[in-house]
Amino acid sequence: MIIGDFGTSYTKLWDMSSSSGPRVIRSTDLGPDIRADYGTGHNAPLRADRVVNELVALATGARKRIRATDFLVLDCGSRDVKFVAFEKGKFERAGWNSECGSSMGFSIELLEMHFRLDYRSIPVPEEHLPVACGVLGMSAVFDAVSRGDEIEQAVAKFVKGIAVNAHRFAGCPGQVHLCGGLCDNPLFVKSIPAEVIPLGRFLLLEGLVEIVQREANPSTP
Amino acid sequence: MPPVGIIEKLADRGDEIVDLDATISRVDVEAEARLIPRYYCAILRTVLSNAMRLKLDEIYVDVGRGKCDGARHIKEILERELSIPVMETENDDRERRGNPICVSSLRLVEKVEKIVESVKQPGQLKGDFTQCKATCGFWGVPPRDFGLLELFPRETHVFGWTRCMENKTPADRELELFCDLSIPTVFFAQSFCAKNSIAYYLAHRHPRGFYVDGDFDISASTKAKVEAFLELSGVRASEVKG
């Protein structure tokens, strides 16, 4: 059984019958014959026999991992931001910002490569740029540089702006369970104005595992 | 929807009635931008497009409490732009004619199609509709994009202004605000419509409410949110798209 989270920039693939863990592959490096039995993510309809709604995969993975009955899980990926909130163990609300918050993870990575930055060594700035989305935000970075900011400083303000924006999108929770590729970016994680509990980038895969098992044993609650 | 009395008068006269809310002609946003803003209610934009393109003898626009101020303004525009009579009506019909379709076991798309169709034939809304026990609810107006409705199971009861439409009482505020607090319910309004405030409010007061809006086409993320809401609220996947 192969499951996959087919994201815009990265694909997370896991052969559940193998002893090794999930693999992360650049989506542009995926061969045309790569397919999964169960898939989620933006490109899943092209690659998976059974496509699972991303919010459902996220919520299912989060419920498996998080013991609390009241929580919010925020998935910050390359292309979009989505969250699901539970209250007293029941679904409370969800959001998926695939248009206005688009390409935030992608543009954070793009700036890192373009300026050869290391986000592990950049401190969180006091201020942030008012960025609504990754693409529009990048021009704000260049404007800040033209006003005299160091490149690192301008990019850090941009990253913090994106983090603040994602936090607002989720309704400004006091605590955030964070998943997605940006979990590995310490500057982003520290820039979110809340208590952040990182859950790594495989939470949607964990949700898929749960769904596979549930569908194999439908009588199990 | 104009008052039943007017629709019946036109039908008795043998007129062919066209519902200008419905998707008949292609909406050309750029072409209409000379008359109305590019970002505007998709339903009223559709009304304008249809009215400008179809060969009509006269137009009735309901502008009363059962519709919206937007319709009043569109009526003013049509009156100035067209050379045919554009009549204003205020539908304050109070006779409740029931809502067998809203609580029937038809697919949600069929329910709403029949309700919309019944505007043109108010007297012919008969039929033996099998009722169903609701597992979820849809509150709101008929969406411009019926693709939204395909996400729901047959066991969906209809509330909001669509329910008022079936009852032929579009200005019935009490009925419009009614919803079933015991079932997960999606509250929908067309983007840019004043009903968004009440849809949003009711969704947040409902124990298991979920608010969405949609423009011409319902976006993939909105559809995914509705799917996830239904699934995570315990509406079984097998019931969906029934």
Short mmCIF file of all heavy atoms in Angstrom, two decimals, chain A residues 53 55-56 59 91 94-96 98-99, chain B residues 210 221 224-225 227-229 231-233:
data_model
loop_
_atom_site.label_atom_id
_atom_site.label_comp_id
_atom_site.label_asym_id
_atom_site.label_seq_id
_atom_site.Cartn_x
_atom_site.Cartn_y
_atom_site.Cartn_z
N ASN A 53 -9.64 14.31 0.72
CA ASN A 53 -9.70 15.74 0.97
C ASN A 53 -8.58 16.14 1.94
O ASN A 53 -8.40 15.52 2.99
CB ASN A 53 -11.08 16.03 1.56
CG ASN A 53 -11.33 17.47 1.89
OD1 ASN A 53 -10.51 18.11 2.53
ND2 ASN A 53 -12.48 17.96 1.48
N LEU A 55 -8.21 18.63 3.99
CA LEU A 55 -8.63 19.03 5.35
C LEU A 55 -8.99 17.80 6.18
O LEU A 55 -8.74 17.76 7.39
CB LEU A 55 -9.82 19.99 5.27
CG LEU A 55 -9.50 21.40 4.77
CD1 LEU A 55 -10.78 22.15 4.47
CD2 LEU A 55 -8.66 22.15 5.80
N VAL A 56 -9.56 16.81 5.51
CA VAL A 56 -9.92 15.58 6.23
C VAL A 56 -8.65 14.83 6.63
O VAL A 56 -8.54 14.34 7.76
CB VAL A 56 -10.84 14.69 5.35
CG1 VAL A 56 -11.07 13.34 6.00
CG2 VAL A 56 -12.18 15.39 5.10
N ALA A 59 -7.13 16.81 9.52
CA ALA A 59 -7.88 16.64 10.77
C ALA A 59 -7.70 15.23 11.33
O ALA A 59 -7.55 15.06 12.55
CB ALA A 59 -9.37 16.91 10.50
N PHE A 91 -15.48 18.71 15.53
CA PHE A 91 -15.08 19.68 14.53
C PHE A 91 -15.72 21.03 14.84
O PHE A 91 -16.93 21.11 15.05
CB PHE A 91 -15.54 19.19 13.15
CG PHE A 91 -15.35 20.19 12.06
CD1 PHE A 91 -14.12 20.32 11.43
CD2 PHE A 91 -16.39 21.01 11.66
CE1 PHE A 91 -13.94 21.25 10.43
CE2 PHE A 91 -16.21 21.94 10.65
CZ PHE A 91 -14.98 22.06 10.04
N ALA A 94 -12.95 25.32 10.04
CA ALA A 94 -11.80 25.02 9.18
C ALA A 94 -11.63 26.17 8.21
O ALA A 94 -12.56 26.93 7.95
CB ALA A 94 -12.04 23.73 8.40
N GLY A 95 -10.44 26.32 7.71
CA GLY A 95 -10.18 27.34 6.69
C GLY A 95 -9.13 26.84 5.73
O GLY A 95 -8.24 26.06 6.10
N TRP A 96 -9.26 27.26 4.51
CA TRP A 96 -8.28 26.85 3.51
C TRP A 96 -8.08 28.03 2.59
O TRP A 96 -8.96 28.38 1.81
CB TRP A 96 -8.79 25.64 2.73
CG TRP A 96 -7.75 25.03 1.84
CD1 TRP A 96 -6.51 25.49 1.56
CD2 TRP A 96 -7.90 23.82 1.10
NE1 TRP A 96 -5.86 24.65 0.72
CE2 TRP A 96 -6.69 23.61 0.41
CE3 TRP A 96 -8.93 22.88 0.96
CZ2 TRP A 96 -6.48 22.51 -0.42
CZ3 TRP A 96 -8.73 21.80 0.14
CH2 TRP A 96 -7.51 21.62 -0.54
N SER A 98 -6.30 29.09 -0.27
CA SER A 98 -5.45 28.65 -1.39
C SER A 98 -5.23 29.77 -2.39
O SER A 98 -4.41 29.65 -3.28
CB SER A 98 -6.08 27.45 -2.09
OG SER A 98 -7.29 27.81 -2.68
N GLU A 99 -5.98 30.86 -2.25
CA GLU A 99 -5.80 31.95 -3.22
C GLU A 99 -5.02 33.12 -2.61
O GLU A 99 -3.89 33.39 -2.99
CB GLU A 99 -7.15 32.43 -3.75
CG GLU A 99 -7.78 31.49 -4.75
CD GLU A 99 -8.66 30.44 -4.13
OE1 GLU A 99 -9.13 30.69 -3.00
OE2 GLU A 99 -8.88 29.38 -4.72
N PHE B 210 -21.66 26.06 9.66
CA PHE B 210 -20.45 26.34 8.89
C PHE B 210 -20.80 27.33 7.78
O PHE B 210 -21.71 27.08 6.99
CB PHE B 210 -19.91 25.03 8.29
CG PHE B 210 -18.52 25.16 7.74
CD1 PHE B 210 -17.45 25.43 8.58
CD2 PHE B 210 -18.27 24.99 6.39
CE1 PHE B 210 -16.16 25.54 8.09
CE2 PHE B 210 -16.99 25.10 5.88
CZ PHE B 210 -15.93 25.38 6.74
N SER B 221 -11.27 25.24 -2.98
CA SER B 221 -11.03 25.23 -1.53
C SER B 221 -12.36 25.31 -0.76
O SER B 221 -12.50 24.70 0.30
CB SER B 221 -10.08 26.35 -1.12
OG SER B 221 -10.64 27.60 -1.34
N ALA B 224 -13.83 21.91 -0.84
CA ALA B 224 -13.10 21.03 0.07
C ALA B 224 -13.50 21.31 1.52
O ALA B 224 -13.61 20.38 2.33
CB ALA B 224 -11.60 21.21 -0.11
N LYS B 225 -13.72 22.59 1.83
CA LYS B 225 -14.11 22.92 3.20
C LYS B 225 -15.48 22.33 3.54
O LYS B 225 -15.70 21.80 4.62
CB LYS B 225 -14.14 24.45 3.39
CG LYS B 225 -12.76 25.04 3.59
CD LYS B 225 -12.81 26.48 4.03
CE LYS B 225 -13.16 27.41 2.89
NZ LYS B 225 -13.04 28.83 3.25
N GLU B 227 -16.91 19.72 2.06
CA GLU B 227 -16.75 18.26 2.14
C GLU B 227 -16.19 17.85 3.49
O GLU B 227 -16.66 16.91 4.13
CB GLU B 227 -15.76 17.78 1.06
CG GLU B 227 -16.38 17.52 -0.27
CD GLU B 227 -15.35 17.05 -1.29
OE1 GLU B 227 -14.14 17.18 -1.05
OE2 GLU B 227 -15.77 16.56 -2.33
N ALA B 228 -15.15 18.58 3.92
CA ALA B 228 -14.51 18.26 5.19
C ALA B 228 -15.47 18.50 6.34
O ALA B 228 -15.55 17.70 7.28
CB ALA B 228 -13.24 19.10 5.36
N PHE B 229 -16.21 19.61 6.28
CA PHE B 229 -17.18 19.90 7.34
C PHE B 229 -18.18 18.77 7.47
O PHE B 229 -18.47 18.30 8.58
CB PHE B 229 -17.89 21.23 7.05
CG PHE B 229 -19.11 21.45 7.91
CD1 PHE B 229 -18.96 21.74 9.26
CD2 PHE B 229 -20.38 21.36 7.38
CE1 PHE B 229 -20.07 21.94 10.06
CE2 PHE B 229 -21.50 21.55 8.17
CZ PHE B 229 -21.35 21.84 9.52
N GLU B 231 -17.95 15.63 6.42
CA GLU B 231 -17.33 14.37 6.85
C GLU B 231 -16.93 14.42 8.32
O GLU B 231 -17.19 13.48 9.08
CB GLU B 231 -16.11 14.06 5.97
CG GLU B 231 -15.61 12.66 6.18
CD GLU B 231 -14.68 12.18 5.09
OE1 GLU B 231 -14.71 12.75 3.97
OE2 GLU B 231 -13.92 11.24 5.35
N LEU B 232 -16.34 15.54 8.72
CA LEU B 232 -15.87 15.63 10.11
C LEU B 232 -17.02 15.87 11.09
O LEU B 232 -16.85 15.74 12.29
CB LEU B 232 -14.83 16.75 10.24
CG LEU B 232 -13.54 16.50 9.44
CD1 LEU B 232 -12.69 17.75 9.38
CD2 LEU B 232 -12.76 15.33 10.01
N SER B 233 -18.19 16.22 10.56
CA SER B 233 -19.36 16.39 11.42
C SER B 233 -20.15 15.09 11.53
O SER B 233 -21.25 15.08 12.07
CB SER B 233 -20.27 17.50 10.88
OG SER B 233 -19.60 18.72 10.88
#
